[in-house]
Amino acid sequence: MKWVSVKNEGKMLFKSKLKLVALAGLVLSILSLFTHFLLAKHTYGIVYEYHSSVTIMSWMPKFKKSDLSISNHPSYRRLWAPVRHFESLHPLANQSGDYAAPEMQSIGFIFVKIRGGFHEIRNAISDVVVVTRLLNATLVIPEIQSTTSSKGISTQFKSFPYLYNEDQFIAALAKDVKIVKTLPKDLKGARRKKEIPSFKVPHGASPYFYLHHVLPMLTKHSVVELLVHSGGCLQSILPPPLVEYQKLRCRVAFHALRFREEVQNLAIKILNRIKASGQPFIAYDPGMTRDALAYYGCAELFQDVHTELIMHRRAWMIKRGILKGNLSSDSAEQYRNGLCPLMPEEIGILLRAYGYSSDTIIYISGGEVFGGVKKLIPLHAMFENVVDRTSLSSPLEWDKVYGQEANLVDQYSIPPPSDNVVRRSQAWKNSGPRPRPLPPPPARPKMYNVEGWWGWVAESDDEPESTIMELRTNAHRLLWEAIDYMVCTEADVFITGFDRDGKGNPNLASLVVGHRLYQFPASRTYGLDRKEIAKLFEEIRDTLYQPNHTWITSLRKQLRRSLIDGLLEESKISKSQSFLAFPVPECSCIANDSMKRSINTSSPMPKYDIPVFSGQIDQCPSWMNAPTSSQSREETEEENDKDDSASSNLFLWLGYGDQEGDSTDISNKEEAFVEDQEELEGGER
């Protein structure tokens, strides 16, 4: 018995020790988890904000801390360093001495309704400010119909303040135009009764239109309403005497139009998360929207239902006069002419061929890519750090940007049947047993989400009416593109797959290019010649991932030229449609240079000088001049070209590519020298 008692005590003691060990392990686990939460909170903010923390934690370890010692390496400079030719270019949109302040007594009020996407709204706002100044009128804060026509949008932000900072806009332009938030009560009542003159302004209207058609009505009625539907409402290129109005456009777009605080804060958070590794990053705007693909006839670049959707949209555009042309088009021919977007796969090949390594951070902007996620799979295969605004932010953060929105499910649920319908149904049931035909089945709403969201394509020429959720999404898209706009503007490198929208006008990517050229002229922006790139890809269409050395060399030269020649070509194409897409030279100046240069000047441009843009470039004020180190940069140019390398296997390209120095102004001797070096050093690095 004694032995049994000792045995039981031993068992009890063992169990107690086991419980203590388990308890200790539990306490240590809790402490470890608590420590982890504290560290996460210190690094990223409050943990519960990151509903998508799994996504964030999945990409963060891939970011390697940048080795600052390689920032001076020639290969590194060739990929990320500023474009030397534009370093003497500086932003200058200040008023000149003969630009008078707005008159105290205006002749009337201009009320504006703007419809369209992000880039159309931005272009239109800068134009209506110029028109207001031209007519010596008072501008009422524009009404953005894309948001106010959507249901369920937060009442916290109405129209213009949904996207932009209203007070900042008024204060920044106080010396240019008089701006008020609302019309006076009497004019507001007249507008509600539709007693004021209204003008549907054509795209790119001339100053003559406003001075000879709008101004007389404004003088007579003290108020006019302008309806802007297609973006810019004033011609892009104004006569030389109106150069101050061009500078006013720049002050509006690049200084007065600040996004509201919630949008700016989230954009800054996303930028900080990208830059946390210390690495530079590339921003890429695919530009692959359904409307743009339909407008340019690029349907056959896709397969299955996507082609059918594009063709349906093209037929819709032709029916409404948006597009003049045939329904069928040769997509291959359009692609060869540079009128179709470059696919994400092709952009990935370009970047790898130029020398960007597989761990380069690439931020994708511009909303959803038409064709779905599968179109981005090849890009993800070539670059492991492909991110966008959704992977770098949480739903809770976006809720703060959207504001307090109505619950669409509760507020807009299916209404109950009317009393009349209920009475007829009861009468039918109580009518007694007599011969009668069967009643027709109740009408069922078409559930496209069951049969496929494209189910309507074969049923009607008209697309179904936008649902309330789609209207809300259209409003949210303005905020998404505002975030993308800020990130792309601040990117170390910017590249676009397409630069036109569904009406043939410059899109968001073009505005980014213009903003970067104004604010950061020397930042690396690839203005791709899609026609030349298409020719290069046609040469290796069957062996995309095993290009030869000659092809790689040609591609690299094309990309180097695009840093300067591409922008010059863009100035010819886009500037006539959107001034903000290329605000040089009106809103820029040259530091440490001779006095005004003109494209008609007979004196040759010195080597490595800034290319001559159309028009005149003024010399910067003395306080903006700073010593440059152009000589040292020229000394390293040959060293940079010598380090160029190429490989026949795309996935083994780990080198860095070529310098922007190979542009049209480099002599033939230097060009030949670079080619010789590339032939001698064609091995993989």
Side-chain angles (χ1 to χ4, degrees), residues 355-392:
Y356 291 100
S357 59
S358 61
D359 63 346
T360 301
I361 304 169
I362 298 182
Y363 179 90
I364 298 182
S365 77
E368 294 183 7
V369 176
F370 187 78
V373 178
K374 71 176 184 179
K375 289 296 178 183
L376 295 174
I377 290 176
L379 184 64
H380 280 271
M382 286 180 271
F383 293 93
E384 61 189 37
N385 289 324
V386 177
V387 296
D388 59 16
R389 61 178 177 274
T390 59
S391 63
L392 296 171

Side-chain angles (χ1 to χ4, degrees), residues 277-323:
S277 64
Q279 294 187 37
F281 74 99
I282 298 173
Y284 162 49
D285 187 280
M288 292 172 58
T289 64
R290 181 183 169 211
D291 284 356
L293 294 165
Y295 186 89
Y296 287 99
C298 305
E300 295 172 7
L301 299 181
F302 295 82
Q303 296 177 350
D304 303 327
V305 72
H306 295 99
T307 297
E308 194 173 356
L309 285 168
I310 293 172
M311 293 302 294
H312 191 278
R313 189 65 173 179
R314 184 172 175 85
W316 181 89
M317 289 181 169
I318 293 174
K319 183 178 180 181
R320 283 157 181 78
I322 299 174
L323 172 64

Side-chain angles (χ1 to χ4, degrees), residues 25 145 265 286 305 327 347 376 407 413 494 524 537 544 558 581 587 591 609 632 637 646 656:
Q145 290 293 295
N265 289 343
V305 72
L327 177 61
I347 293 294
L376 295 174
N407 190 327
S413 58
F494 181 68
R524 300 180 73 85
F537 275 119
L544 275 180
Q558 179 63 36
C587 299
D609 204 351
S632 62
E637 180 66 26
Y656 284 103

Side-chain angles (χ1 to χ4, degrees), residues 5 8 18 111 145 171 201 284 314 340 353 375 394 415 424 471 481 494 510 535 549 558-559 572 583 608 618 629 635:
S5 176
N8 290 336
L18 193 62
F111 183 86
Q145 290 293 295
V201 184
Y284 162 49
R314 184 172 175 85
C340 288
K375 289 296 178 183
S394 69
R424 283 190 296 173
L471 292 174
E481 294 188 350
F494 181 68
S510 295
K535 289 180 182 178
H549 171 67
Q558 179 63 36
L559 289 181
K572 301 174 184 177
Y608 297 132
D618 295 334
S629 54
E635 291 173 354

Side-chain angles (χ1 to χ4, degrees), residues 82 156 169 201 251 300 559 583 679:
Q156 208 176 333
F169 180 72
V201 184
R251 291 196 294 276
E300 295 172 7
L559 289 181
E679 285 292 330

Side-chain angles (χ1 to χ4, degrees), residues 12 27 136 205 212 259 320 326 337 343 401 421 452 473 485 491 505 540 542 556-557 584 616 654:
M12 294 294 292
V27 171
N136 186 30
H212 291 79
F259 301 114
R320 283 157 181 78
N326 299 323
N337 291 332
M343 293 295 167
V401 173
V421 173
T473 301
Y485 183 87
N505 300 322
I540 60 162
D542 297 330
R556 290 181 170 182
K557 290 179 180 177
V584 176
Q616 238 178 24
L654 300 176

Side-chain angles (χ1 to χ4, degrees), residues 81-111:
V83 181
R84 186 186 63 259
H85 300 74
F86 293 151
E87 285 186 339
S88 60
L89 196 66
H90 295 279
L92 183 64
N94 296 340
Q95 306 97 323
S96 63
D98 56 351
Y99 182 80
E103 297 182 15
M104 295 297 295
Q105 187 66 31
S106 68
I107 61 174
F109 296 87
I110 294 180
F111 183 86

